[in-house]
Amino acid sequence: MTEETPAPPHAAILDLAMGSVLARALFAVTELGIPDLLADGPLAVGALTEKTGTTPDSLPRVLRALAAVGYFHTEGDRYTLTDLGRTLTSGHPTAARELVLSMLGPLFTNSLQRLSDTLRTGRTGADLAFGVPVFDYFGKHADEGASFNQTMIAFHGTEPAAVAGAWDLPQVEHIVDVGGGVGTLLRAVLEQAPAARGTLFDRPDVIAQVNLGDLGERCRTEAGDFFTSVPRGGDVYLLSHIVHDWDDDAARRILTNAREAIAEGGRVILVEMVLPTGDQDHPGKFLDLVMLSLTGGRERTEEQYRELLASAGLDLVRVLSTNSPVSIIEAAPTVGA
């Protein structure tokens, strides 16, 4: 019996470096629309090269590598989608296509490539690479902004259901979802709180993409700037992955606006990854690097959230775990604030 050769001490580094090559291959075939071309059944490589304007030598090599890791099946020179590959088609409920095009696209890639410069200067990679803050970039690149909003569906996955399942705020009447995107989380929470109504609040370009469907009678949309004000009179102000986008000063302004708008007895609810202390592995520690590079924001520990909330006139009431990496952070206005 032959003994297996032990892995070299840098095996994990090698895997990480080669994984970046695979990621670029996945972006290329997704950007070319190959999953959509295969959505209705197998095609020969000649048909794929003709439809995508690629060369018959190069495209099969990329598809071969992706087939080896489960995105395609090959039968001779014909390719078909696997279940994994099918998630990359347009309109798939996972929004995996948008995830690939956004997180492996120019904004994320060029911003993260400037991480060394971010560490030296304190400026975000987005500012260094494109000369504008990330949300201004989306304002100037509407297609990428729309794709990013759909990317959030893929990135958060089953998180909305996990948050709604852990939601135990009784007698909620009016939920104001501040920066709620296309309303995925608000929809899940309103299903959990059938007596409540909702207001979905975000930038005008985001609200223009919203389709509330069957929630229309219970939920309305409002466009605005949460740095200026938020809709008044809600008894719950929901901020999901909003505070982490900003530094403490900017986050304090948003939280203060929510506290000033809240009805008597109301609550501010943050949905965020609460970082553990020490060297424990946690996805929030990697998301924190995205915040550092793109937005200038940060993920925070429970104590950091407590201090931030206090600076905005809010007391941290409790932190609820969910069946996902995020937690529900409940806060109430400080008496006399």
Side-chain angles (χ1 to χ4, degrees):
M1 182 176 179
T2 303
E3 293 186 3
E4 293 185 4
T5 302
H10 69 301
I13 298 172
L14 180 62
D15 289 345
L16 183 64
M18 293 307 295
S20 67
V21 178
L22 189 64
R24 299 317 310 166
L26 187 63
F27 177 83
V29 300
T30 305
E31 185 182 42
L32 288 167
I34 288 174
D36 284 343
L37 292 173
L38 296 174
D40 294 328
L43 285 176
V45 69
L48 289 173
T49 56
E50 181 179 351
K51 290 176 181 293
T52 57
T54 54
T55 68
D57 175 64
S58 60
L59 183 61
R61 294 159 68 182
V62 174
L63 294 177
R64 176 178 62 189
L66 291 171
V69 292
Y71 290 93
F72 304 103
H73 285 310
T74 58
E75 297 177 8
D77 71 341
R78 293 167 67 83
Y79 288 85
T80 187
L81 293 172
T82 62
D83 288 343
L84 177 60
R86 191 165 295 279
T87 66
L88 294 170
T89 57
S90 297
H92 195 277
T94 62
R97 175 180 179 274
E98 287 71 25
L99 178 69
V100 168
L101 294 179
S102 285
M103 296 199 71
L104 297 177
L107 175 62
F108 276 72
T109 299
N110 292 343
S111 297
L112 285 163
Q113 282 181 336
R114 302 299 296 269
L115 183 56
S116 296
D117 294 326
T118 293
L119 295 176
R120 295 187 186 100
T121 66
R123 296 170 61 192
T124 66
D127 187 30
L128 290 164
F130 299 100
V132 294
V134 63
F135 294 110
D136 290 350
Y137 176 93
F138 285 139
K140 296 179 179 180
H141 300 80
D143 289 346
E144 289 187 54
S147 180
F148 176 78
N149 289 329
Q150 293 300 311
T151 294
M152 293 300 96
I153 297 174
F155 185 80
H156 298 308
T158 60
E159 179 184 302
V163 171
W167 189 274
D168 68 345
L169 293 175
Q171 300 176 338
V172 175
E173 296 181 1
H174 182 195
I175 303 167
V176 180
D177 191 353
V178 178
V182 296
T184 305
L185 177 58
L186 182 58
R187 175 181 293 276
V189 171
L190 287 175
E191 290 174 353
Q192 186 70 20
R197 57 190 174 89
T199 296
L200 182 64
F201 180 75
D202 213 314
R203 302 189 316 272
D205 58 303
V206 177
I207 292 298
Q209 303 171 39
V210 174
N211 180 5
L212 295 174
D214 59 342
L215 281 182
E217 294 183 358
R218 296 179 56 202
C219 189
R220 67 183 185 92
T221 60
E222 184 174 334
D225 178 1
F226 51 44
F227 286 115
T228 302
S229 65
V230 299
R232 300 189 67 84
D235 59 338
V236 169
Y237 281 77
L238 176 62
L239 295 90
S240 176
H241 298 289
I242 299 299
V243 171
H244 80 153
D245 283 335
W246 307 98
D247 63 22
D248 285 354
D249 288 341
R252 186 179 302 111
R253 287 162 55 195
I254 302 169
L255 291 168
T256 299
N257 286 339
R259 193 253 302 159
E260 291 177 346
I262 202 166
E264 184 177 356
R267 292 288 188 268
V268 173
I269 301 295
L270 311 184
V271 176
E272 299 283 2
M273 293 187 185
V274 178
L275 296 182
T277 57
D279 295 335
Q280 179 181 339
D281 186 19
H282 191 279
K285 294 181 178 181
F286 305 100
L287 183 59
D288 185 50
L289 301 185
V290 177
M291 297 300 103
L292 176 65
S293 296
L294 262 72
T295 70
R298 64 189 307 145
E299 306 304 317
R300 296 171 172 89
T301 65
E302 180 176 335
E303 185 57 31
Q304 287 173 323
Y305 275 113
R306 188 184 306 279
E307 294 174 358
L308 176 62
L309 289 164
S311 73
L314 294 161
D315 293 330
L316 192 154
V317 176
R318 57 178 175 164
V319 177
L320 299 175
S321 299
T322 72
N323 290 326
S324 77
V326 301
S327 297
I328 297 172
I329 305 165
E330 181 181 346
T334 303
V335 176

